[in-house]
Amino acid sequence: MTQAFLAALRSIVGEANVLTTEPDCAAYEEDWRGRYKGRALCVVRPGCTDEVAAVVRACAAAGVPMVPQGGNTGLVGGGVPHAGGDEVLISLARLNRVRAVDVVNNTLTVEAGCTLAAVQAAAAEQGRLFPLSLASEGSCQIAGNLASNAGGVQVLRYGNTRELTLGLEVVLPDGRIWNGLRGLRKDNTGYDLKHLFIGSEGTLGIITAAVLKLFPSQSRRAVAWLALPDAGAAIHLLASLRQRAGERLTAFEIVCSAAHELVLQKMPGSVRPLAEPAPWYALVELADSDLAAELEILLETALSEAFEAGWVIDAVLAGKESQAQALWALRENISEAQKKDGISIKHDVSVPVSAIPAFLQQADAALEAAFPGVRIVAFGHAGDGNLHYNPSMPQGGEANVAFVARTTEVNRIVHDIVAALGGSISAEHGLGQLKRDEILRYKSEVEMDMMRTIKAAFDPRGLMNPGKLL
Amino acid sequence: MTQAFLAALRSIVGEANVLTTEPDCAAYEEDWRGRYKGRALCVVRPGCTDEVAAVVRACAAAGVPMVPQGGNTGLVGGGVPHAGGDEVLISLARLNRVRAVDVVNNTLTVEAGCTLAAVQAAAAEQGRLFPLSLASEGSCQIAGNLASNAGGVQVLRYGNTRELTLGLEVVLPDGRIWNGLRGLRKDNTGYDLKHLFIGSEGTLGIITAAVLKLFPSQSRRAVAWLALPDAGAAIHLLASLRQRAGERLTAFEIVCSAAHELVLQKMPGSVRPLAEPAPWYALVELADSDLAAELEILLETALSEAFEAGWVIDAVLAGKESQAQALWALRENISEAQKKDGISIKHDVSVPVSAIPAFLQQADAALEAAFPGVRIVAFGHAGDGNLHYNPSMPQGGEANVAFVARTTEVNRIVHDIVAALGGSISAEHGLGQLKRDEILRYKSEVEMDMMRTIKAAFDPRGLMNPGKLL
């Protein structure tokens, strides 16, 4: 029976695109951080939407569950099969064409398997910006970004992947194709189906193509690294910068002292940008499409106010592009520096922007009380209320192993505080396998019930990425 | 049985808030344009979310269908009961509190029955902008804006109501309350339920409150009225302005010659802003939160390029605020001027921005061929690809009555062209009763089936605003 099923798949996508041996499948069966390892019945690599639909129909006919996979760069195990060996892993990597560019409409129609970097490049070729930007952009694929509603460093200005999407093409769990590839800014003709699939982590269907929004390219940018007295000052500074700079405020990242020191220590070539250490830092970027924009003047004016108000202790403005890149590296290298330092317990949380200081104060205090000596590396997209909050034991070794073994307790402390402040326990990474059970503690029964209702309505047999998200 | 049911409703909301007599109910039973008139079993006016929930539970228990209503300013009959007299009309007008303001988080939590003007005022009180703006803002209510995903004149910059919303509170068809009032920019913990209710025209539940996004207030604006050689020039001009001005480009409206002449003719006090008539006009607005912004210089630089390229024939820039308002009135008074001129067949369509010239050329030609002498008043939000396209017979009288009697044929011509260009037959007004059947011609069976699946899953007994949208 399995042989007949595999033969059916081969007849759809060709011999070479049905992988069954352990060595061929291994890279698809494990996530890149090595935290989730499963076993698939096979890996299928369709080459076009019709092939995806035919594969899905074959799986549905045989009652075989499916796991869609993009660049396999996810952080929550959402694209990795379970261990049972009974799931077909459907890789979208071969659907990698840019189908259409409409510069006047500011849209790009791309297939699921285009890497984010390829989408950015296609936009840049037309003198436009596709603003989604994140660490794995060279290998993550756009349908994975869509399925997980990816965030990144420019969300403050441009929104999450959800806000960057105008239309979708989706293969439904029964193999029908929904062509929702509309490039419209306004369309009020019924329920907004695209938003149901965006962020659904492959549990309702397989996204095969999308119409994405393009934006004016950024002609100029101004970048500053600022020393702050505390996290509360960051929030005042953000509000002031936003009122003054409007949408030009493209990024507002904060970095705690411990995170900054780790980068300076662990990442060769890192240079301390300011003379004195400070409790907190902010990385601010303004960008403008207008070549004549005087962003430095705008930024300096805003900062002189902030100095007077006591929100900023010290500041350096990048004088040229290489300096801007060096300042950004101080932010972008935090994860890598912490990895070099050893394992930590990672949280990807969000709260209302106004609640960031309260969250940090409460979570720091609660963790220190429960785990004396704990070191907290906190940083992230403060403009979006999104913090990466990673505690560990600074001395490493046995103490840290023992600490990490108590992840469940640590999560409980951090996530309960997040929830009490009206926040989210997964701001940009999704639920996948990692937080599928944890979310049950925080979402109301009504909300879980609505989610299950949708899942049952679209995928009554539960064949689409089972055990993820729900 | 009806008496017992009415008594149950009165025990929930009080005697005074269950209206049953014809005079009391009349204003709720007819839309403001007088195109849809129904009869309700009664009008219920709950005063809080718990009362809405109790009313819905009572209706569900009795198997009585419900019609939620806001300010009753809709254009498609979505909030008006059918003629049968068997539906309970639930007015949300008494839920009109601003529940919370969080200036630092840039959010406002408001109840369903707040007028849009009240929401704008609450934002302005905090020195912030709530950018949704449309003709009926003094009387339309925010939950109606949400249920219909309202658009308006600043969508180009800020998006539709959908994009302005972070969280919702909804009473479900069985009377349960979903509290999704989150004020988060990032939350990837499952299906995005709020987007399902936004634009669902009251067919999936009753929106009782929302968390809305606030923006920096606009400190400066520059407004210009431009004469253009043709609609194609408008599209080039738009692309050029957008690249240069970025998000500062807040509005880009186009107005055809016939629309402009009607306003000058019918609206007292209207003054021709440019010496010579032109085939098309554009109203452009730039706005900036930065007090030091030199928008006039930016606009003049952009326009001098546009003159050279031949996209603009003549231009006037508003020198002061009163002039800006006068220019805006030339755009805003078109509907009123056309109403004074007599009845017309109205279309609210969108196409990709790049397809605007093709749409106008094809639709104008097809209508002229079918109805020689037809006059087309075309105008709208070109920056969003959204046109109001209203043909009539210019001589009025019998000829026009005969023309309007052929609305179905006219719609067929216009909507078929819209669909062929990848557009939408309802850009910002919704489906309601007006386009519920018309949409069947244009949406795929797959898409209609998904919409019906959702409706059946959330409202299996079909009690929530039946016969609207679907």
Side-chain angles (χ1 to χ4, degrees):
Chain A
M1 158 138 193
T2 299
Q3 287 314 313
F5 174 64
L6 291 175
L9 296 179
R10 287 192 184 102
S11 74
I12 297 165
V13 298
E15 199 75 26
N17 290 307
V18 178
L19 315 179
T20 55
T21 69
E22 182 101 33
D24 284 349
C25 294
Y28 298 89
E29 292 172 335
E30 185 171 8
D31 74 308
W32 68 281
R33 294 201 297 184
R35 297 195 176 190
Y36 297 92
K37 185 167 170 49
R39 182 76 184 104
L41 178 63
C42 64
V43 173
V44 184
R45 299 163 37 91
C48 62
T49 301
D50 284 339
E51 287 187 9
V52 175
V55 167
V56 170
R57 280 196 303 275
C59 290
V64 173
M66 296 157 264
V67 180
Q69 188 180 90
N72 197 13
T73 62
L75 296 165
V76 293
V80 177
H82 297 298
D86 61 342
E87 297 173 315
V88 168
L89 192 149
I90 302 176
S91 164
L92 282 306
R94 289 179 61 225
L95 279 79
N96 62 358
R97 291 183 310 136
V98 174
R99 285 199 200 160
V101 182
D102 185 339
V103 183
V104 174
N105 195 42
N106 277 308
T107 49
L108 207 57
T109 306
V110 298
E111 291 186 341
C114 289
T115 63
L116 175 51
V119 175
Q120 294 167 343
E125 253 174 54
Q126 307 293 330
R128 294 288 186 273
L129 173 73
F130 182 67
L132 186 66
S133 175
L134 35 94
S136 61
E137 61 197 25
S139 47
C140 68
Q141 294 167 15
I142 194 69
N145 300 141
L146 287 157
S148 62
N149 185 29
V153 290
Q154 301 195 92
V155 171
L156 175 61
R157 178 168 185 170
Y158 299 101
N160 298 286
T161 305
R162 181 182 298 290
E163 283 83 31
L164 304 177
T165 308
L166 291 177
L168 291 183
E169 179 187 80
V170 178
V171 174
L172 301 179
D174 60 7
R176 287 181 302 166
I177 299 169
W178 171 49
N179 181 345
L181 288 176
R182 292 186 276 263
L184 303 174
R185 262 74 184 178
K186 283 185 175 173
D187 177 25
N188 279 345
T189 56
Y191 307 143
D192 196 312
L193 300 169
K194 71 174 178 294
H195 282 304
L196 208 47
F197 292 102
I198 298 172
S200 70
E201 304 185 27
T203 63
L204 300 178
I206 301 179
I207 296 170
T208 49
V211 181
L212 304 172
K213 289 187 201 170
L214 301 181
F215 292 80
S217 55
Q218 297 174 350
S219 304
R220 305 188 72 86
R221 69 168 176 172
V223 175
W225 183 269
L226 315 171
L228 315 179
D230 52 47
I235 303 313
H236 292 297
L237 174 65
L238 170 64
S240 153
L241 276 170
R242 197 156 184 247
Q243 177 61 34
R244 185 175 285 274
E247 290 93 338
R248 279 166 288 226
L249 182 60
T250 304
F252 188 93
E253 305 281 313
I254 60 173
V255 174
C256 80
S257 175
H260 188 48
E261 296 303 323
L262 260 186
V263 170
L264 294 173
Q265 213 180 91
K266 300 283 177 187
M267 302 302 287
S270 299
V271 177
R272 190 183 293 279
L274 297 171
E276 298 292 326
W280 279 91
Y281 304 92
L283 177 67
V284 169
E285 177 169 316
L286 307 188
D288 204 313
S289 55
D290 180 14
L291 265 168
E294 292 181 321
L295 295 176
E296 290 76 11
I297 295 177
L298 180 60
L299 190 51
E300 280 165 13
T301 313
L303 289 181
S304 73
E305 275 184 3
F307 271 108
E308 272 175 46
W311 303 327
V312 172
I313 301 168
D314 198 2
V316 56
L317 271 67
K320 49 184 179 179
E321 184 54 27
S322 61
Q323 280 180 299
Q325 285 170 16
L327 294 179
W328 263 108
L330 292 172
R331 160 65 184 87
E332 285 166 344
N333 285 334
I334 297 172
S335 291
E336 186 63 23
Q338 189 167 26
K339 197 174 166 190
K340 287 190 181 188
D341 189 55
I343 195 163
S344 64
I345 302 176
K346 296 188 185 302
H347 301 97
D348 164 42
V349 301
S350 69
V351 291
V353 172
S354 49
I356 288 177
F359 166 73
L360 289 167
Q361 186 265 316
Q362 291 174 33
D364 288 3
L367 286 182
E368 174 60 32
F371 305 98
V374 67
R375 179 189 64 196
I376 291 154
V377 170
F379 61 99
H381 319 298
D384 317 315
N386 178 196
L387 293 177
H388 300 300
Y389 187 85
N390 305 337
S392 63
M393 283 297 166
Q395 63 274 40
E398 282 306 307
N400 198 40
V401 170
F403 175 72
V404 171
R406 295 171 71 182
T407 294
T408 308
E409 282 170 79
V410 173
N411 287 348
R412 179 59 44 92
I413 290 171
V414 173
H415 290 167
D416 278 4
I417 293 170
V418 164
L421 292 168
S424 168
I425 68 163
S426 190
E428 54 177 11
H429 298 164
L431 297 175
Q433 301 179 52
L434 180 63
K435 296 181 184 169
R436 182 193 61 194
D437 299 323
E438 181 79 353
I439 197 66
L440 297 173
R441 182 174 168 86
Y442 301 106
K443 273 211 201 288
S444 67
E445 193 40 51
V446 174
E447 185 156 340
M448 290 307 303
D449 188 51
M450 283 199 283
M451 284 170 50
R452 288 186 200 109
T453 296
I454 291 168
K455 173 71 174 175
F458 276 79
D459 182 24
R461 298 162 70 200
L463 294 180
M464 201 50 81
N465 213 8
K468 316 291 168 56
L469 192 147
L470 279 171
Chain B
M1 161 141 189
T2 300
Q3 287 313 314
F5 174 63
L6 291 174
L9 296 179
R10 288 192 183 101
S11 75
I12 297 165
V13 297
E15 199 76 26
N17 290 307
V18 179
L19 315 179
T20 54
T21 69
E22 181 100 35
D24 284 351
C25 294
Y28 298 90
E29 292 173 335
E30 186 172 4
D31 74 308
W32 67 282
R33 293 202 297 183
R35 299 196 175 188
Y36 298 92
K37 184 165 172 49
R39 182 77 186 105
L41 178 63
C42 64
V43 173
V44 184
R45 297 162 40 90
C48 64
T49 300
D50 283 340
E51 287 187 8
V52 175
V55 167
V56 170
R57 280 196 303 274
C59 291
V64 173
M66 295 157 264
V67 180
Q69 188 180 92
N72 196 15
T73 62
L75 296 165
V76 293
V80 177
H82 297 297
D86 61 341
E87 297 173 316
V88 168
L89 192 149
I90 302 176
S91 165
L92 280 308
R94 290 179 61 224
L95 279 80
N96 60 358
R97 291 183 312 135
V98 174
R99 285 200 200 160
V101 183
D102 186 339
V103 183
V104 175
N105 195 42
N106 277 308
T107 49
L108 206 57
T109 307
V110 298
E111 290 185 341
C114 289
T115 62
L116 175 51
V119 176
Q120 293 167 344
E125 254 175 55
Q126 306 292 331
R128 294 288 186 274
L129 173 73
F130 181 66
L132 186 66
S133 175
L134 35 95
S136 62
E137 61 197 25
S139 47
C140 68
Q141 294 169 16
I142 194 69
N145 300 141
L146 288 157
S148 61
N149 185 29
V153 290
Q154 300 195 93
V155 171
L156 175 62
R157 178 168 184 171
Y158 300 101
N160 299 286
T161 305
R162 182 182 298 290
E163 283 84 31
L164 304 176
T165 309
L166 290 177
L168 291 183
E169 179 187 81
V170 178
V171 173
L172 301 179
D174 60 7
R176 288 181 301 166
I177 299 169
W178 171 49
N179 182 344
L181 288 176
R182 293 186 276 261
L184 303 173
R185 261 75 184 176
K186 283 184 175 174
D187 176 25
N188 279 345
T189 56
Y191 307 142
D192 196 311
L193 300 169
K194 72 175 178 291
H195 282 305
L196 208 47
F197 293 102
I198 298 172
S200 70
E201 304 186 26
T203 63
L204 299 177
I206 300 179
I207 297 171
T208 50
V211 181
L212 304 172
K213 290 186 200 170
L214 300 181
F215 293 81
S217 56
Q218 296 173 353
S219 304
R220 304 188 73 85
R221 69 167 176 173
V223 175
W225 183 269
L226 314 172
L228 314 179
D230 53 46
I235 304 313
H236 291 299
L237 175 64
L238 169 65
S240 155
L241 276 171
R242 198 159 183 245
Q243 177 61 34
R244 184 174 285 272
E247 290 93 338
R248 279 167 289 224
L249 182 61
T250 304
F252 189 93
E253 305 282 311
I254 61 173
V255 175
C256 79
S257 176
H260 189 45
E261 297 302 325
L262 260 187
V263 170
L264 294 173
Q265 212 180 91
K266 301 282 176 187
M267 302 302 287
S270 298
V271 177
R272 191 182 293 279
L274 297 170
E276 299 292 327
W280 280 90
Y281 304 92
L283 177 68
V284 169
E285 177 169 316
L286 306 189
D288 203 312
S289 57
D290 181 13
L291 266 170
E294 294 180 322
L295 294 177
E296 290 76 11
I297 294 177
L298 181 59
L299 190 50
E300 280 164 13
T301 313
L303 288 181
S304 73
E305 275 184 4
F307 271 108
E308 271 175 47
W311 303 327
V312 173
I313 301 168
D314 198 2
V316 56
L317 270 68
K320 48 186 179 178
E321 183 55 25
S322 61
Q323 280 182 299
Q325 285 170 15
L327 294 178
W328 264 108
L330 292 171
R331 160 66 185 87
E332 285 166 344
N333 285 334
I334 297 172
S335 292
E336 186 63 22
Q338 190 168 27
K339 198 174 165 190
K340 287 189 182 190
D341 189 56
I343 195 163
S344 64
I345 302 175
K346 297 186 184 303
H347 301 98
D348 164 42
V349 301
S350 70
V351 292
V353 173
S354 49
I356 287 177
F359 165 73
L360 289 167
Q361 186 264 316
Q362 291 174 31
D364 289 3
L367 286 182
E368 174 60 32
F371 305 96
V374 68
R375 180 189 63 198
I376 290 152
V377 171
F379 61 100
H381 318 296
D384 317 315
N386 178 193
L387 293 178
H388 302 301
Y389 187 84
N390 306 337
S392 62
M393 283 298 163
Q395 63 274 40
E398 283 305 308
N400 198 40
V401 170
F403 175 71
V404 171
R406 295 171 72 182
T407 295
T408 307
E409 282 171 77
V410 173
N411 286 349
R412 178 61 42 92
I413 290 172
V414 173
H415 291 167
D416 278 3
I417 292 169
V418 164
L421 292 167
S424 166
I425 66 162
S426 190
E428 54 177 11
H429 298 164
L431 296 176
Q433 301 178 52
L434 179 64
K435 296 181 184 168
R436 180 194 62 193
D437 298 323
E438 181 79 353
I439 197 66
L440 297 173
R441 181 175 169 86
Y442 301 106
K443 273 210 200 290
S444 67
E445 192 42 49
V446 173
E447 185 156 341
M448 290 307 303
D449 188 53
M450 283 200 281
M451 284 171 50
R452 289 187 200 108
T453 297
I454 291 168
K455 173 71 175 176
F458 277 77
D459 182 24
R461 297 163 69 201
L463 295 180
M464 202 50 81
N465 213 9
K468 316 292 169 55
L469 193 147
L470 278 171

